[in-house]
Amino acid sequence: MGTVIGILHKQNHRYADRSIAERHLDMVRQRFPGAKIVLAEKETDLIREAPDAQVLVTWGLLIEPPLDFCRKAVNLEWIHTLSAGVESLLVPEVIGLGIPVTCTKGIHGLPISDHVLSFILSFSRGLPRFFVQKNQRKWARFPSVDEVSGKIVAIIGMGSIGREIARKCRALDMRVAAITRNAMGKPEVQGVDFLFGPDQVAEMLSIADYVVLALPLTAATRHYMNREKLAVMKKTAVLINIGRGGSVDEKELVIALKEGKLAGAGLDVFEQEPLPADSPLWEMENVIITPHTAALSPYYIDRAMEVFCQNLARFQAGEPLLYLVDPEKGY
Ligand code: OXD
């Protein structure tokens, strides 16, 4: 028998509206004719396949890890997540299996950069205020609209998502600032107008009109945006977070927004998701909230399945897998 692949696509997952369709399974079947693919929405429906399964494909965030499946999957050699994030999956029982866990990378930049631009342009053109006025049927032309041309966007986290955000911001005539660990001209700093060293974060924040966080959540990035860093931002600047909620100290952000230390925030991710109903962020006119949707796209599953197929070819050929997760780092 060829490779046995169990795909667990939980119905209650936030990507459920982007279902895995027959055509996605056909993509795999056509390229790997011997493979047996079992798609299940519930872990209990996949358990029967567990003893034979060599590969498990599932989601890495906002899920209960399929621990019963993993316990029974005595032949399991590899777990692949259709998300970039793996934080829900990296529990001791899964790490203890000692098999590679890979995630999906390289496909988030297009939708997430659109999302970031929509935040930037919305704030620049005063849309949060206009939405409020629309609800009040109020026609008031207020003066605080601006242009993005020439404005500085500081991008913190220059992985593939950060680089795509930089590319699109520059297409809008914005100038990009970023932090580099060292050498000029490294690929991750191409397309950047202002480079700062790791000890110059405050300097970078103090010149930015938009600060975009595209960070994974690790021990080092938790509450990265703390009171001190929020305090050095320009009063007219906007903070945008499309990485992970935990990289912002939300309580301090609320205080900074109330005290006018920055002009607004565009937030797709939160310390607790769903964002609790009593969070003060809901009430703030200068905060745009989207419910962790920045990566959503009608093309997401097609692209994610293509990444999986590339990795399956490597798996079958005994080659190193792409996007291997380091359980120590958490991404
Ligand atoms: C992901 C995400 O990790 O959308 O895929 O946050």
Side-chain angles (χ1 to χ4, degrees):
M1 206 197 312
T3 312
V4 178
I5 306 163
I7 304 184
L8 183 60
H9 179 59
K10 293 205 174 187
Q11 210 166 27
N12 65 354
H13 189 271
R14 69 192 185 85
Y15 282 102
D17 59 333
R18 308 278 171 249
S19 346
I20 297 181
E22 265 313 296
R23 73 169 194 287
H24 299 117
L25 303 184
D26 283 344
M27 269 169 79
V28 187
R29 289 188 191 113
Q30 273 158 23
R31 281 155 75 171
F32 306 91
K36 176 179 175 194
I37 311 161
V38 182
L39 172 65
E41 280 177 355
K42 290 197 242 93
E43 186 180 358
T44 44
D45 297 338
L46 204 60
I47 289 282
R48 210 174 335 118
E49 309 298 327
D52 291 330
Q54 286 139 291
V55 183
L56 171 67
V57 179
T58 186
W59 296 92
L61 71 162
L62 303 175
I63 57 151
E64 289 290 322
L67 298 185
D68 282 342
F69 176 90
C70 288
R71 268 190 288 273
K72 298 203 166 87
V74 286
N75 289 306
L76 199 64
E77 291 177 45
W78 166 38
I79 301 179
H80 179 79
T81 67
L82 294 168
S83 49
V86 284
E87 46 267 55
S88 307
L89 201 61
L90 288 187
V91 295
E93 293 91 327
V94 173
I95 297 172
L97 295 172
I99 58 172
V101 175
T102 55
C103 63
T104 297
K105 285 203 179 145
I107 67 168
H108 293 69
L110 285 176
I112 291 185
S113 54
D114 283 5
H115 211 84
V116 169
L117 289 193
S118 66
F119 280 146
I120 291 178
L121 290 167
S122 296
F123 280 107
S124 175
R125 301 306 299 165
L127 294 195
R129 174 96 283 260
F130 289 133
F131 283 133
V132 172
Q133 289 186 187
K134 175 173 175 282
N135 286 337
Q136 301 166 338
R137 297 171 179 261
K138 182 168 160 192
W139 180 277
R141 302 179 73 223
F142 79 110
S144 52
V145 293
D146 205 342
E147 296 179 3
V148 293
S149 180
K151 296 288 188 303
I152 297 179
V153 56
I155 302 174
I156 300 175
M158 278 298 258
S160 61
I161 297 172
R163 292 199 298 274
E164 185 60 14
I165 296 168
R167 191 182 71 78
K168 288 194 182 160
C169 286
R170 285 182 116 205
L172 287 182
D173 234 0
M174 299 181 78
R175 292 170 300 157
V176 173
I179 299 161
T180 178
R181 264 186 225 115
N182 48 44
M184 306 281 293
K186 280 176 62 183
E188 75 259 28
V189 295
Q190 276 167 13
V192 171
D193 300 278
F194 307 107
L195 273 179
F196 292 85
D199 52 347
Q200 294 177 303
V201 177
E203 250 172 79
M204 179 178 79
L205 293 174
S206 70
I207 61 157
D209 300 293
Y210 298 91
V211 174
V212 179
L213 297 177
L215 292 170
L217 187 59
T218 66
T221 63
R222 181 168 296 281
H223 286 187
Y224 177 89
M225 221 46 206
N226 55 16
R227 183 207 294 246
E228 289 72 36
K229 291 202 181 77
L230 289 164
V232 291
M233 284 178 65
K234 284 188 191 177
K235 288 193 170 28
T236 50
V238 169
L239 177 72
I240 291 171
N241 190 8
I242 48 72
R244 286 294 178 259
S247 63
V248 174
D249 185 334
E250 241 166 56
K251 282 203 182 73
E252 291 297 336
L253 175 63
V254 168
I255 296 172
L257 285 164
K258 283 190 177 150
E259 290 178 351
K261 298 252 162 63
L262 66 161
L267 306 172
D268 185 56
V269 285
F270 301 86
E271 289 201 78
Q272 193 187 325
E273 292 181 13
L275 181 64
D278 61 357
S279 167
L281 292 168
W282 289 113
E283 300 294 327
M284 298 181 151
E285 184 186 308
N286 56 349
V287 175
I288 304 181
I289 291 173
T290 54
H292 203 144
T293 53
L296 294 197
S297 154
Y299 317 111
Y300 188 92
I301 298 287
D302 298 75
R303 292 174 182 153
M305 289 308 270
E306 175 56 39
V307 172
F308 170 64
C309 286
Q310 286 171 21
N311 243 355
L312 183 56
R314 286 170 172 256
F315 174 77
Q316 292 193 337
E319 289 168 10
L321 296 173
L322 297 169
Y323 312 130
L324 203 56
V325 172
D326 177 346
E328 292 282 305
K329 286 195 184 142
Y331 65 96

PDB file of all heavy atoms in Angstrom, residues 13-15 59-62 81-87 103-104 107-108 112 161 242-244 268-269 273 292-296 300, ligand 1:
ATOM      1  N   HIS A  13     -13.362  24.493  12.988  1.00  0.00           N
ATOM      2  CA  HIS A  13     -12.179  25.323  12.810  1.00  0.00           C
ATOM      3  C   HIS A  13     -12.549  26.578  12.026  1.00  0.00           C
ATOM      4  O   HIS A  13     -13.462  26.569  11.215  1.00  0.00           O
ATOM      5  CB  HIS A  13     -11.094  24.538  12.060  1.00  0.00           C
ATOM      6  CG  HIS A  13      -9.793  25.269  12.058  1.00  0.00           C
ATOM      7  ND1 HIS A  13      -9.469  26.164  11.078  1.00  0.00           N
ATOM      8  CD2 HIS A  13      -8.779  25.268  12.950  1.00  0.00           C
ATOM      9  CE1 HIS A  13      -8.282  26.676  11.364  1.00  0.00           C
ATOM     10  NE2 HIS A  13      -7.845  26.141  12.486  1.00  0.00           N
ATOM     11  N   ARG A  14     -11.820  27.636  12.284  1.00  0.00           N
ATOM     12  CA  ARG A  14     -12.189  28.899  11.644  1.00  0.00           C
ATOM     13  C   ARG A  14     -11.981  28.889  10.140  1.00  0.00           C
ATOM     14  O   ARG A  14     -12.462  29.764   9.440  1.00  0.00           O
ATOM     15  CB  ARG A  14     -11.429  30.050  12.281  1.00  0.00           C
ATOM     16  CG  ARG A  14      -9.963  30.019  11.977  1.00  0.00           C
ATOM     17  CD  ARG A  14      -9.208  30.971  12.840  1.00  0.00           C
ATOM     18  NE  ARG A  14      -7.840  30.996  12.424  1.00  0.00           N
ATOM     19  CZ  ARG A  14      -7.390  31.758  11.448  1.00  0.00           C
ATOM     20  NH1 ARG A  14      -8.211  32.551  10.804  1.00  0.00           N
ATOM     21  NH2 ARG A  14      -6.136  31.726  11.115  1.00  0.00           N
ATOM     22  N   TYR A  15     -11.255  27.896   9.627  1.00  0.00           N
ATOM     23  CA  TYR A  15     -11.101  27.808   8.185  1.00  0.00           C
ATOM     24  C   TYR A  15     -12.167  26.911   7.568  1.00  0.00           C
ATOM     25  O   TYR A  15     -12.091  26.559   6.409  1.00  0.00           O
ATOM     26  CB  TYR A  15      -9.736  27.222   7.807  1.00  0.00           C
ATOM     27  CG  TYR A  15      -8.599  28.200   7.917  1.00  0.00           C
ATOM     28  CD1 TYR A  15      -7.727  28.174   8.988  1.00  0.00           C
ATOM     29  CD2 TYR A  15      -8.408  29.156   6.924  1.00  0.00           C
ATOM     30  CE1 TYR A  15      -6.682  29.070   9.080  1.00  0.00           C
ATOM     31  CE2 TYR A  15      -7.362  30.059   7.016  1.00  0.00           C
ATOM     32  CZ  TYR A  15      -6.502  30.013   8.093  1.00  0.00           C
ATOM     33  OH  TYR A  15      -5.469  30.890   8.186  1.00  0.00           O
ATOM     34  N   TRP A  59      -4.703  21.104  11.488  1.00  0.00           N
ATOM     35  CA  TRP A  59      -4.460  22.526  11.745  1.00  0.00           C
ATOM     36  C   TRP A  59      -3.626  22.667  13.003  1.00  0.00           C
ATOM     37  O   TRP A  59      -3.688  21.808  13.877  1.00  0.00           O
ATOM     38  CB  TRP A  59      -5.790  23.278  11.890  1.00  0.00           C
ATOM     39  CG  TRP A  59      -6.565  23.238  10.619  1.00  0.00           C
ATOM     40  CD1 TRP A  59      -7.499  22.313  10.266  1.00  0.00           C
ATOM     41  CD2 TRP A  59      -6.416  24.109   9.504  1.00  0.00           C
ATOM     42  NE1 TRP A  59      -7.958  22.569   8.998  1.00  0.00           N
ATOM     43  CE2 TRP A  59      -7.315  23.669   8.501  1.00  0.00           C
ATOM     44  CE3 TRP A  59      -5.623  25.223   9.240  1.00  0.00           C
ATOM     45  CZ2 TRP A  59      -7.426  24.301   7.269  1.00  0.00           C
ATOM     46  CZ3 TRP A  59      -5.752  25.858   8.009  1.00  0.00           C
ATOM     47  CH2 TRP A  59      -6.638  25.402   7.045  1.00  0.00           C
ATOM     48  N   GLY A  60      -2.887  23.746  13.099  1.00  0.00           N
ATOM     49  CA  GLY A  60      -1.982  23.901  14.236  1.00  0.00           C
ATOM     50  C   GLY A  60      -2.406  24.945  15.235  1.00  0.00           C
ATOM     51  O   GLY A  60      -1.725  25.173  16.231  1.00  0.00           O
ATOM     52  N   LEU A  61      -3.529  25.615  14.954  1.00  0.00           N
ATOM     53  CA  LEU A  61      -3.966  26.613  15.933  1.00  0.00           C
ATOM     54  C   LEU A  61      -5.471  26.550  16.076  1.00  0.00           C
ATOM     55  O   LEU A  61      -6.177  26.122  15.157  1.00  0.00           O
ATOM     56  CB  LEU A  61      -3.492  28.023  15.580  1.00  0.00           C
ATOM     57  CG  LEU A  61      -4.089  28.774  14.420  1.00  0.00           C
ATOM     58  CD1 LEU A  61      -3.799  30.240  14.546  1.00  0.00           C
ATOM     59  CD2 LEU A  61      -3.579  28.257  13.114  1.00  0.00           C
ATOM     60  N   LEU A  62      -5.930  26.969  17.249  1.00  0.00           N
ATOM     61  CA  LEU A  62      -7.361  26.960  17.562  1.00  0.00           C
ATOM     62  C   LEU A  62      -7.982  25.581  17.388  1.00  0.00           C
ATOM     63  O   LEU A  62      -9.082  25.452  16.864  1.00  0.00           O
ATOM     64  CB  LEU A  62      -8.108  27.999  16.701  1.00  0.00           C
ATOM     65  CG  LEU A  62      -7.620  29.438  16.815  1.00  0.00           C
ATOM     66  CD1 LEU A  62      -8.339  30.337  15.828  1.00  0.00           C
ATOM     67  CD2 LEU A  62      -7.814  29.974  18.221  1.00  0.00           C
ATOM     68  N   THR A  81       0.834  20.689   9.300  1.00  0.00           N
ATOM     69  CA  THR A  81      -0.317  21.567   9.573  1.00  0.00           C
ATOM     70  C   THR A  81      -0.602  22.460   8.368  1.00  0.00           C
ATOM     71  O   THR A  81       0.319  22.929   7.696  1.00  0.00           O
ATOM     72  CB  THR A  81      -0.084  22.465  10.810  1.00  0.00           C
ATOM     73  OG1 THR A  81       0.959  23.404  10.528  1.00  0.00           O
ATOM     74  CG2 THR A  81       0.279  21.658  12.031  1.00  0.00           C
ATOM     75  N   LEU A  82      -1.883  22.679   8.141  1.00  0.00           N
ATOM     76  CA  LEU A  82      -2.286  23.525   7.011  1.00  0.00           C
ATOM     77  C   LEU A  82      -2.186  25.006   7.387  1.00  0.00           C
ATOM     78  O   LEU A  82      -2.335  25.873   6.529  1.00  0.00           O
ATOM     79  CB  LEU A  82      -3.712  23.183   6.584  1.00  0.00           C
ATOM     80  CG  LEU A  82      -3.865  21.761   6.006  1.00  0.00           C
ATOM     81  CD1 LEU A  82      -5.327  21.382   5.869  1.00  0.00           C
ATOM     82  CD2 LEU A  82      -3.157  21.626   4.657  1.00  0.00           C
ATOM     83  N   SER A  83      -1.956  25.287   8.646  1.00  0.00           N
ATOM     84  CA  SER A  83      -1.756  26.673   9.096  1.00  0.00           C
ATOM     85  C   SER A  83      -0.261  26.927   9.253  1.00  0.00           C
ATOM     86  O   SER A  83       0.534  25.977   9.289  1.00  0.00           O
ATOM     87  CB  SER A  83      -2.435  26.874  10.459  1.00  0.00           C
ATOM     88  OG  SER A  83      -2.055  25.828  11.333  1.00  0.00           O
ATOM     89  N   ALA A  84       0.083  28.197   9.377  1.00  0.00           N
ATOM     90  CA  ALA A  84       1.478  28.531   9.694  1.00  0.00           C
ATOM     91  C   ALA A  84       1.716  28.279  11.178  1.00  0.00           C
ATOM     92  O   ALA A  84       2.728  27.724  11.578  1.00  0.00           O
ATOM     93  CB  ALA A  84       1.748  29.994   9.367  1.00  0.00           C
ATOM     94  N   GLY A  85       0.736  28.652  11.991  1.00  0.00           N
ATOM     95  CA  GLY A  85       0.871  28.509  13.438  1.00  0.00           C
ATOM     96  C   GLY A  85       0.715  27.059  13.867  1.00  0.00           C
ATOM     97  O   GLY A  85      -0.058  26.299  13.279  1.00  0.00           O
ATOM     98  N   VAL A  86       1.465  26.676  14.890  1.00  0.00           N
ATOM     99  CA  VAL A  86       1.401  25.300  15.391  1.00  0.00           C
ATOM    100  C   VAL A  86       1.195  25.290  16.905  1.00  0.00           C
ATOM    101  O   VAL A  86       1.319  24.251  17.537  1.00  0.00           O
ATOM    102  CB  VAL A  86       2.696  24.519  15.051  1.00  0.00           C
ATOM    103  CG1 VAL A  86       2.747  24.118  13.604  1.00  0.00           C
ATOM    104  CG2 VAL A  86       3.937  25.310  15.436  1.00  0.00           C
ATOM    105  N   GLU A  87       0.877  26.459  17.461  1.00  0.00           N
ATOM    106  CA  GLU A  87       0.899  26.562  18.927  1.00  0.00           C
ATOM    107  C   GLU A  87      -0.072  25.617  19.646  1.00  0.00           C
ATOM    108  O   GLU A  87       0.214  25.177  20.748  1.00  0.00           O
ATOM    109  CB  GLU A  87       0.718  28.021  19.396  1.00  0.00           C
ATOM    110  CG  GLU A  87      -0.369  28.837  18.739  1.00  0.00           C
ATOM    111  CD  GLU A  87       0.130  29.655  17.549  1.00  0.00           C
ATOM    112  OE1 GLU A  87       0.723  29.052  16.638  1.00  0.00           O
ATOM    113  OE2 GLU A  87      -0.098  30.873  17.512  1.00  0.00           O
ATOM    114  N   CYS A 103       4.841  22.881   8.972  1.00  0.00           N
ATOM    115  CA  CYS A 103       3.682  23.766   8.865  1.00  0.00           C
ATOM    116  C   CYS A 103       3.632  24.335   7.440  1.00  0.00           C
ATOM    117  O   CYS A 103       4.449  23.975   6.600  1.00  0.00           O
ATOM    118  CB  CYS A 103       3.791  24.884   9.895  1.00  0.00           C
ATOM    119  SG  CYS A 103       5.202  25.944   9.626  1.00  0.00           S
ATOM    120  N   THR A 104       2.664  25.197   7.204  1.00  0.00           N
ATOM    121  CA  THR A 104       2.488  25.775   5.870  1.00  0.00           C
ATOM    122  C   THR A 104       3.029  27.186   5.862  1.00  0.00           C
ATOM    123  O   THR A 104       2.556  28.032   6.632  1.00  0.00           O
ATOM    124  CB  THR A 104       0.997  25.758   5.493  1.00  0.00           C
ATOM    125  OG1 THR A 104       0.580  24.402   5.448  1.00  0.00           O
ATOM    126  CG2 THR A 104       0.765  26.414   4.140  1.00  0.00           C
ATOM    127  N   ILE A 107       2.573  31.130   1.874  1.00  0.00           N
ATOM    128  CA  ILE A 107       1.312  31.432   1.175  1.00  0.00           C
ATOM    129  C   ILE A 107       0.496  32.499   1.900  1.00  0.00           C
ATOM    130  O   ILE A 107      -0.568  32.867   1.451  1.00  0.00           O
ATOM    131  CB  ILE A 107       0.436  30.174   0.983  1.00  0.00           C
ATOM    132  CG1 ILE A 107      -0.068  29.636   2.335  1.00  0.00           C
ATOM    133  CG2 ILE A 107       1.195  29.085   0.241  1.00  0.00           C
ATOM    134  CD1 ILE A 107      -1.154  28.578   2.179  1.00  0.00           C
ATOM    135  N   HIS A 108       0.996  32.966   3.034  1.00  0.00           N
ATOM    136  CA  HIS A 108       0.206  33.912   3.827  1.00  0.00           C
ATOM    137  C   HIS A 108       0.422  35.370   3.411  1.00  0.00           C
ATOM    138  O   HIS A 108      -0.380  36.240   3.707  1.00  0.00           O
ATOM    139  CB  HIS A 108       0.558  33.771   5.315  1.00  0.00           C
ATOM    140  CG  HIS A 108       0.139  32.458   5.899  1.00  0.00           C
ATOM    141  ND1 HIS A 108       0.739  31.277   5.559  1.00  0.00           N
ATOM    142  CD2 HIS A 108      -0.828  32.146   6.788  1.00  0.00           C
ATOM    143  CE1 HIS A 108       0.154  30.290   6.223  1.00  0.00           C
ATOM    144  NE2 HIS A 108      -0.794  30.786   6.967  1.00  0.00           N
ATOM    145  N   ILE A 112      -2.384  38.512   3.722  1.00  0.00           N
ATOM    146  CA  ILE A 112      -2.086  39.309   4.926  1.00  0.00           C
ATOM    147  C   ILE A 112      -1.603  40.709   4.540  1.00  0.00           C
ATOM    148  O   ILE A 112      -1.957  41.707   5.179  1.00  0.00           O
ATOM    149  CB  ILE A 112      -1.072  38.583   5.832  1.00  0.00           C
ATOM    150  CG1 ILE A 112      -1.728  37.346   6.451  1.00  0.00           C
ATOM    151  CG2 ILE A 112      -0.556  39.511   6.943  1.00  0.00           C
ATOM    152  CD1 ILE A 112      -0.888  36.583   7.458  1.00  0.00           C
ATOM    153  N   ILE A 161       6.125  37.081   5.120  1.00  0.00           N
ATOM    154  CA  ILE A 161       4.934  37.952   5.223  1.00  0.00           C
ATOM    155  C   ILE A 161       5.385  39.413   5.313  1.00  0.00           C
ATOM    156  O   ILE A 161       4.888  40.278   4.590  1.00  0.00           O
ATOM    157  CB  ILE A 161       4.081  37.558   6.454  1.00  0.00           C
ATOM    158  CG1 ILE A 161       3.555  36.128   6.281  1.00  0.00           C
ATOM    159  CG2 ILE A 161       2.935  38.546   6.665  1.00  0.00           C
ATOM    160  CD1 ILE A 161       2.872  35.550   7.501  1.00  0.00           C
ATOM    161  N   ILE A 242      -0.715  41.705  12.869  1.00  0.00           N
ATOM    162  CA  ILE A 242      -1.282  40.579  12.112  1.00  0.00           C
ATOM    163  C   ILE A 242      -0.506  39.295  12.425  1.00  0.00           C
ATOM    164  O   ILE A 242      -0.678  38.289  11.732  1.00  0.00           O
ATOM    165  CB  ILE A 242      -1.300  40.853  10.587  1.00  0.00           C
ATOM    166  CG1 ILE A 242       0.045  41.392  10.087  1.00  0.00           C
ATOM    167  CG2 ILE A 242      -2.401  41.823  10.207  1.00  0.00           C
ATOM    168  CD1 ILE A 242       1.160  40.477  10.016  1.00  0.00           C
ATOM    169  N   GLY A 243       0.365  39.371  13.457  1.00  0.00           N
ATOM    170  CA  GLY A 243       1.172  38.185  13.797  1.00  0.00           C
ATOM    171  C   GLY A 243       0.456  37.342  14.837  1.00  0.00           C
ATOM    172  O   GLY A 243      -0.402  36.522  14.497  1.00  0.00           O
ATOM    173  N   ARG A 244       0.777  37.593  16.094  1.00  0.00           N
ATOM    174  CA  ARG A 244       0.120  36.898  17.194  1.00  0.00           C
ATOM    175  C   ARG A 244      -0.219  37.896  18.283  1.00  0.00           C
ATOM    176  O   ARG A 244       0.599  38.783  18.596  1.00  0.00           O
ATOM    177  CB  ARG A 244       1.041  35.804  17.755  1.00  0.00           C
ATOM    178  CG  ARG A 244       1.179  34.586  16.875  1.00  0.00           C
ATOM    179  CD  ARG A 244      -0.151  33.818  16.765  1.00  0.00           C
ATOM    180  NE  ARG A 244      -0.090  32.659  15.904  1.00  0.00           N
ATOM    181  CZ  ARG A 244      -0.535  32.600  14.640  1.00  0.00           C
ATOM    182  NH1 ARG A 244      -1.084  33.665  14.082  1.00  0.00           N
ATOM    183  NH2 ARG A 244      -0.470  31.486  13.946  1.00  0.00           N
ATOM    184  N   ASP A 268      -5.703  42.243  14.193  1.00  0.00           N
ATOM    185  CA  ASP A 268      -6.329  41.009  13.686  1.00  0.00           C
ATOM    186  C   ASP A 268      -6.172  39.876  14.687  1.00  0.00           C
ATOM    187  O   ASP A 268      -6.849  38.861  14.579  1.00  0.00           O
ATOM    188  CB  ASP A 268      -5.674  40.623  12.349  1.00  0.00           C
ATOM    189  CG  ASP A 268      -6.362  39.418  11.714  1.00  0.00           C
ATOM    190  OD1 ASP A 268      -7.594  39.496  11.514  1.00  0.00           O
ATOM    191  OD2 ASP A 268      -5.695  38.401  11.447  1.00  0.00           O
ATOM    192  N   VAL A 269      -5.248  40.044  15.631  1.00  0.00           N
ATOM    193  CA  VAL A 269      -4.945  38.969  16.583  1.00  0.00           C
ATOM    194  C   VAL A 269      -4.921  39.551  17.992  1.00  0.00           C
ATOM    195  O   VAL A 269      -4.588  40.726  18.183  1.00  0.00           O
ATOM    196  CB  VAL A 269      -3.584  38.308  16.245  1.00  0.00           C
ATOM    197  CG1 VAL A 269      -3.686  37.404  15.030  1.00  0.00           C
ATOM    198  CG2 VAL A 269      -2.499  39.351  16.033  1.00  0.00           C
ATOM    199  N   GLU A 273      -8.421  34.855  22.175  1.00  0.00           N
ATOM    200  CA  GLU A 273      -9.333  34.799  21.015  1.00  0.00           C
ATOM    201  C   GLU A 273     -10.390  33.752  21.262  1.00  0.00           C
ATOM    202  O   GLU A 273     -10.049  32.664  21.746  1.00  0.00           O
ATOM    203  CB  GLU A 273      -8.545  34.476  19.744  1.00  0.00           C
ATOM    204  CG  GLU A 273      -7.631  35.616  19.359  1.00  0.00           C
ATOM    205  CD  GLU A 273      -6.822  35.365  18.080  1.00  0.00           C
ATOM    206  OE1 GLU A 273      -7.140  34.394  17.348  1.00  0.00           O
ATOM    207  OE2 GLU A 273      -5.878  36.101  17.840  1.00  0.00           O
ATOM    208  N   HIS A 292      -9.080  37.587  13.480  1.00  0.00           N
ATOM    209  CA  HIS A 292      -8.020  36.667  13.011  1.00  0.00           C
ATOM    210  C   HIS A 292      -8.347  36.133  11.613  1.00  0.00           C
ATOM    211  O   HIS A 292      -8.411  34.922  11.380  1.00  0.00           O
ATOM    212  CB  HIS A 292      -7.841  35.514  14.013  1.00  0.00           C
ATOM    213  CG  HIS A 292      -6.478  34.878  13.921  1.00  0.00           C
ATOM    214  ND1 HIS A 292      -5.794  34.400  15.012  1.00  0.00           N
ATOM    215  CD2 HIS A 292      -5.669  34.633  12.851  1.00  0.00           C
ATOM    216  CE1 HIS A 292      -4.633  33.872  14.627  1.00  0.00           C
ATOM    217  NE2 HIS A 292      -4.540  34.009  13.309  1.00  0.00           N
ATOM    218  N   THR A 293      -8.571  37.092  10.720  1.00  0.00           N
ATOM    219  CA  THR A 293      -8.960  36.714   9.353  1.00  0.00           C
ATOM    220  C   THR A 293      -7.943  37.172   8.318  1.00  0.00           C
ATOM    221  O   THR A 293      -8.180  37.014   7.115  1.00  0.00           O
ATOM    222  CB  THR A 293     -10.314  37.362   8.977  1.00  0.00           C
ATOM    223  OG1 THR A 293     -10.216  38.780   9.219  1.00  0.00           O
ATOM    224  CG2 THR A 293     -11.454  36.780   9.781  1.00  0.00           C
ATOM    225  N   ALA A 294      -6.817  37.740   8.751  1.00  0.00           N
ATOM    226  CA  ALA A 294      -5.904  38.360   7.782  1.00  0.00           C
ATOM    227  C   ALA A 294      -5.413  37.374   6.727  1.00  0.00           C
ATOM    228  O   ALA A 294      -5.160  37.755   5.586  1.00  0.00           O
ATOM    229  CB  ALA A 294      -4.717  38.998   8.506  1.00  0.00           C
ATOM    230  N   ALA A 295      -5.293  36.101   7.095  1.00  0.00           N
ATOM    231  CA  ALA A 295      -4.739  35.140   6.119  1.00  0.00           C
ATOM    232  C   ALA A 295      -5.830  34.497   5.266  1.00  0.00           C
ATOM    233  O   ALA A 295      -5.511  33.749   4.343  1.00  0.00           O
ATOM    234  CB  ALA A 295      -3.960  34.042   6.855  1.00  0.00           C
ATOM    235  N   LEU A 296      -7.094  34.784   5.586  1.00  0.00           N
ATOM    236  CA  LEU A 296      -8.151  34.085   4.845  1.00  0.00           C
ATOM    237  C   LEU A 296      -8.182  34.539   3.397  1.00  0.00           C
ATOM    238  O   LEU A 296      -7.950  35.702   3.070  1.00  0.00           O
ATOM    239  CB  LEU A 296      -9.520  34.324   5.486  1.00  0.00           C
ATOM    240  CG  LEU A 296      -9.743  33.757   6.878  1.00  0.00           C
ATOM    241  CD1 LEU A 296     -11.229  33.710   7.202  1.00  0.00           C
ATOM    242  CD2 LEU A 296      -9.143  32.374   7.033  1.00  0.00           C
ATOM    243  N   TYR A 300      -6.870  29.888  -0.252  1.00  0.00           N
ATOM    244  CA  TYR A 300      -5.978  29.395   0.800  1.00  0.00           C
ATOM    245  C   TYR A 300      -5.762  27.880   0.709  1.00  0.00           C
ATOM    246  O   TYR A 300      -4.624  27.402   0.702  1.00  0.00           O
ATOM    247  CB  TYR A 300      -6.517  29.762   2.193  1.00  0.00           C
ATOM    248  CG  TYR A 300      -5.514  29.427   3.272  1.00  0.00           C
ATOM    249  CD1 TYR A 300      -4.602  30.377   3.710  1.00  0.00           C
ATOM    250  CD2 TYR A 300      -5.417  28.141   3.810  1.00  0.00           C
ATOM    251  CE1 TYR A 300      -3.643  30.070   4.671  1.00  0.00           C
ATOM    252  CE2 TYR A 300      -4.457  27.818   4.764  1.00  0.00           C
ATOM    253  CZ  TYR A 300      -3.580  28.793   5.181  1.00  0.00           C
ATOM    254  OH  TYR A 300      -2.619  28.482   6.109  1.00  0.00           O
TER     255      TYR A 300
HETATM  256  C1  OXD B   1      -1.914  30.825  10.536  1.00  0.00           C
HETATM  257  C2  OXD B   1      -2.795  32.004  10.745  1.00  0.00           C
HETATM  258  O1  OXD B   1      -1.106  30.527  11.413  1.00  0.00           O
HETATM  259  O2  OXD B   1      -3.642  32.286   9.889  1.00  0.00           O
HETATM  260  O3  OXD B   1      -2.046  30.161   9.501  1.00  0.00           O
HETATM  261  O4  OXD B   1      -2.653  32.685  11.767  1.00  0.00           O
END
